[in-house]
Amino acid sequence: MQIVVYCDRSRTIDITKEEIKDKKYDFYTIGKEMLKNINGEYIIKKYNLKPGIEFGKKLHEERVKWLKNNIK
């Protein structure tokens, strides 16, 4: 959650454009990369799970872990 707050605070909003002050916290780019790497296919391969409650929990867990390891 802290990463999301940093991302939000690093933006400057101008009526004509939106600028990211600290590119390290460009949430659009971070999110896009995370979704590309940690998706359903990844969970199926790693945990051999089918879509369901446990699948969703693992997906969330892996995405949080990815964010912690890739945003410094």
Side-chain angles (χ1 to χ4, degrees):
M1 192 64 148
Q2 186 177 18
I3 294 165
V4 174
V5 173
Y6 286 157
C7 291
D8 188 51
R9 287 187 177 170
S10 71
R11 293 182 299 134
T12 55
I13 298 177
D14 182 337
I15 295 173
T16 59
K17 64 179 178 171
E18 184 172 319
E19 186 179 315
I20 306 296
K21 288 188 265 185
D22 188 345
K23 298 295 183 194
K24 175 172 137 180
Y25 296 112
D26 178 0
F27 197 67
Y28 175 77
T29 304
I30 294 166
K32 207 165 129 181
E33 185 178 344
M34 180 196 60
L35 292 173
K36 185 177 91 179
N37 291 300
I38 309 298
N39 54 31
E41 198 174 294
Y42 173 84
I43 299 301
I44 290 169
K45 286 179 184 175
K46 184 170 182 178
Y47 296 102
N48 195 28
L49 291 173
K50 296 197 183 323
I53 294 172
E54 188 62 29
F55 181 92
K57 287 179 182 179
K58 284 295 181 190
L59 182 62
H60 176 75
E61 183 182 301
E62 288 292 326
R63 286 179 174 170
V64 169
K65 194 183 310 181
W66 186 94
L67 283 169
K68 285 181 180 178
N69 292 329
N70 290 281
I71 310 301
K72 302 202 185 298

